[in-house]
Amino acid sequence: MKRFILAILIAITLAVLIGSLAYYSGPGYVVFSFAEYTVETSFIFMLGFVAIGFYLFYYLLRFISTLMNIPSYLGSRHIQRQHERSRNSLIKGLIEISEGRFEQAEKMFLKRVGESETALLNYLMAARAAQQLGAYDRRDEYLRLAHESTPSADIAIGLTQAELQLSHKQYEQALATLNHLSGVAPKHRYVKRLLAQTYQRLGDWESLGQMLEELRKHKAMGDEQFHALELETYHGMLNSSIKRVDGDSTERIWKSLPKSLRNEASLIKLYASYLKTISKDTEAEAIIRGFMSDEWDDELAYLYSELNGKDCKRQLETAETWLHNQPRNGLLLMVLGKLSLRCELWGKAKSYFETSISIANHSEAYLQLAVLLEEKMEQPEEAQKIYQQGLAKMVESQNSGGGLLLPKSESTRSTAPVLKVIQ
């Protein structure tokens, strides 16, 4: 329409110009001769006739072209309507899956997938809906169809498959999928992150340890999350080597600890407990002493009291220095009492145990004090009172639901870091 109006304006403008020219220069004339026929007309009329003929011919061609394009136009409109219907189905499916109606969502994603411009997305979302319904065969079939619809989207399809396999605890299958993706995209951050998560869930600490440097290099996760994963990895490696009774491997892992982990209490507890089991109490004492000079940990303090160091008095003096920062710590006072017992300082041990009991209800403090009174200080009556007090406190605490504070034994004490699986 705009072009038609523009053509009329141009025609009017030309007519005005030609009219003005004719008015001032004379009308002139034009003669056409063909065979026996001769046509004579004014120059102005000839120009008007040519202009009108040109526009009539132009719009005649336009009309013929439009008629010829009607079939393709109708076809494109049909395809456009198909795409609109497929988009509406996709949107409805997304709404259904967001609202937890997975069966309806699966049907909507597949309803017009053959007409959709986004067949890849339809199949991937249908696979997620089937996963939620526990239909793992259908899930895998949709992923196969997604690959057929868009072969170039190998990474997107593979990542979706790995995520769904991890969600279903198909760790071996997920590992195979992610190893394939690692070959296709060796620098892909999310692939590395999922691969690390798979090793973590499989408990394959050696393999996870080997890829830590890659995770750091490619910044596959945040610093805090990477530190937590690194800590869990080395804890798992140490624990596995200890269970295998592989002393050389355990020592090698300990010496290879990154600087960021050398002062982690959970790792020190694990390694110091291991050293105690192989009668290397002196080495364990030195490691704990180094840690406790700057930081504090109740379980390490208790483990320190269980070590048979070469010089018990030096061990006691070291622990007494911890009182400067922990003057009201009942467990530390019990530790000092146990170390005083080992050094045969009965009076000091009794004082420490009594002070510990006045601050905290550690059952071992009652027991140690009672044994000391009965066997070393020959006060059986006082010992019986302590036995009874300890039993009464235990019953009272259990009845109130509070629970008596009990130091964990080496066989039950957990030294694993509390970590979340990578998300």
Side-chain angles (χ1 to χ4, degrees), residues 367-386:
L367 177 61
Q368 293 282 3
L369 177 57
V371 171
L372 171 63
L373 291 171
E374 185 175 16
E375 296 181 1
K376 304 298 181 182
M377 303 184 75
E378 298 181 354
Q379 298 179 23
E381 294 181 358
E382 290 297 321
Q384 288 300 316
K385 291 180 182 179
I386 298 300

Side-chain angles (χ1 to χ4, degrees), residues 20-43:
S20 299
L21 181 64
Y23 179 78
Y24 291 105
S25 302
Y29 67 92
V30 177
V31 177
F32 294 96
S33 178
F34 178 75
E36 299 178 355
Y37 300 97
T38 299
V39 177
E40 182 178 341
T41 184
S42 67
F43 180 73

Side-chain angles (χ1 to χ4, degrees), residues 158-209:
L159 284 173
T160 301
Q161 184 175 19
E163 288 175 345
L164 296 177
Q165 287 168 338
L166 283 171
S167 177
H168 186 46
K169 298 182 179 180
Q170 296 175 309
Y171 301 134
E172 297 293 344
Q173 293 92 323
L175 183 60
T177 302
L178 290 166
N179 280 332
H180 166 71
L181 291 177
S182 294
V184 175
K187 296 183 179 180
H188 199 290
R189 294 181 182 179
Y190 191 54
V191 171
K192 292 186 179 299
R193 185 171 176 175
L194 284 182
L195 186 58
Q197 183 178 338
T198 305
Y199 283 134
Q200 184 186 31
R201 294 187 179 182
L202 284 170
D204 188 350
W205 307 114
E206 293 293 335
S207 297
L208 185 52

Side-chain angles (χ1 to χ4, degrees), residues 14-172:
L14 289 174
V16 171
L17 290 174
I18 293 171
S20 299
L21 181 64
Y23 179 78
Y24 291 105
S25 302
Y29 67 92
V30 177
V31 177
F32 294 96
S33 178
F34 178 75
E36 299 178 355
Y37 300 97
T38 299
V39 177
E40 182 178 341
T41 184
S42 67
F43 180 73
I44 300 300
F45 181 82
M46 184 275 296
L47 288 179
F49 179 79
V50 169
I52 293 172
F54 172 79
Y55 283 111
L56 288 175
F57 182 71
Y58 171 76
Y59 281 103
L60 177 63
L61 292 179
R62 288 284 305 273
F63 177 71
I64 294 172
S65 175
T66 301
L67 289 177
M68 293 177 66
N69 288 328
I70 286 177
S72 61
Y73 171 76
L74 293 177
S76 64
R77 285 291 299 166
H78 177 68
I79 293 173
Q80 185 178 356
R81 286 194 296 271
Q82 284 184 330
H83 290 167
E84 288 177 358
R85 288 195 293 266
S86 64
R87 280 196 297 272
N88 290 335
S89 295
L90 176 61
I91 293 170
K92 290 179 181 178
L94 291 172
I95 294 173
E96 296 287 359
I97 200 171
S98 298
E99 295 179 351
R101 292 189 286 270
F102 304 113
E103 186 174 353
Q104 295 90 326
E106 182 182 357
K107 292 178 181 178
M108 293 306 301
F109 290 133
L110 299 174
K111 187 175 182 179
R112 298 187 181 277
V113 67
E115 305 171 359
S116 177
E117 296 175 298
T118 58
L120 171 65
L121 181 58
N122 285 60
Y123 283 126
L124 292 180
M125 295 308 299
R128 291 187 180 277
Q131 168 87 3
Q132 294 295 333
L133 293 169
Y136 306 114
D137 291 338
R138 290 208 307 272
R139 175 201 69 185
D140 294 338
E141 176 64 13
Y142 297 149
L143 292 172
R144 185 187 65 79
L145 292 172
H147 182 73
E148 288 183 359
S149 69
T150 316
S152 59
D154 193 30
I155 294 177
I157 297 168
L159 284 173
T160 301
Q161 184 175 19
E163 288 175 345
L164 296 177
Q165 287 168 338
L166 283 171
S167 177
H168 186 46
K169 298 182 179 180
Q170 296 175 309
Y171 301 134
E172 297 293 344

Side-chain angles (χ1 to χ4, degrees), residues 137-371:
D137 291 338
R138 290 208 307 272
R139 175 201 69 185
D140 294 338
E141 176 64 13
Y142 297 149
L143 292 172
R144 185 187 65 79
L145 292 172
H147 182 73
E148 288 183 359
S149 69
T150 316
S152 59
D154 193 30
I155 294 177
I157 297 168
L159 284 173
T160 301
Q161 184 175 19
E163 288 175 345
L164 296 177
Q165 287 168 338
L166 283 171
S167 177
H168 186 46
K169 298 182 179 180
Q170 296 175 309
Y171 301 134
E172 297 293 344
Q173 293 92 323
L175 183 60
T177 302
L178 290 166
N179 280 332
H180 166 71
L181 291 177
S182 294
V184 175
K187 296 183 179 180
H188 199 290
R189 294 181 182 179
Y190 191 54
V191 171
K192 292 186 179 299
R193 185 171 176 175
L194 284 182
L195 186 58
Q197 183 178 338
T198 305
Y199 283 134
Q200 184 186 31
R201 294 187 179 182
L202 284 170
D204 188 350
W205 307 114
E206 293 293 335
S207 297
L208 185 52
Q210 292 172 7
M211 69 174 300
L212 284 175
E213 185 56 36
E214 289 184 52
L215 292 169
R216 187 202 304 275
K217 178 181 177 182
H218 294 287
K219 297 181 179 179
M221 58 188 69
D223 293 340
E224 184 177 345
Q225 193 175 27
F226 177 79
H227 176 77
L229 176 64
E230 190 177 42
L231 173 58
E232 186 180 16
T233 300
Y234 275 96
H235 189 281
M237 292 168 64
L238 269 177
N239 199 36
S240 296
S241 66
I242 290 171
K243 288 181 178 179
R244 294 195 307 267
V245 195
D246 189 347
D248 293 338
S249 176
T250 302
E251 186 175 352
R252 175 182 55 78
I253 295 169
W254 175 256
K255 289 181 178 179
S256 68
L257 283 180
K259 291 182 179 179
S260 59
L261 299 181
R262 290 191 176 276
N263 222 30
E264 286 289 343
S266 61
L267 294 176
I268 293 173
K269 290 174 207 173
L270 182 60
Y271 189 63
S273 298
Y274 160 73
L275 290 175
K276 185 179 185 304
T277 61
I278 61 174
S279 302
K280 291 187 176 182
D281 293 43
T282 302
E283 292 183 30
E285 180 195 348
I287 293 173
I288 295 175
R289 186 169 62 245
F291 174 86
M292 301 289 272
S293 62
D294 298 318
E295 300 185 44
W296 176 258
D297 186 272
D298 278 353
E299 289 188 34
L300 278 176
Y302 182 79
L303 179 57
Y304 188 79
S305 71
E306 297 285 296
L307 299 174
N308 294 313
K310 292 182 179 180
D311 188 343
C312 71
K313 289 186 178 180
R314 182 189 173 191
Q315 196 172 346
L316 174 61
E317 290 170 359
T318 297
E320 286 177 329
T321 63
W322 302 338
L323 277 173
H324 296 301
N325 296 323
Q326 303 286 330
R328 297 285 297 172
N329 190 311
L331 186 138
L332 173 57
L333 290 164
M334 184 185 72
V335 165
L336 293 172
K338 291 174 65 177
L339 293 173
S340 298
L341 277 180
R342 189 171 301 146
C343 295
E344 299 184 356
L345 302 173
W346 316 132
K348 179 177 282 192
K350 179 175 180 293
S351 176
Y352 279 134
F353 286 134
E354 289 175 343
T355 308
S356 173
I357 288 171
S358 68
I359 295 173
N361 293 327
H362 291 296
S363 59
E364 188 175 355
Y366 284 99
L367 177 61
Q368 293 282 3
L369 177 57
V371 171

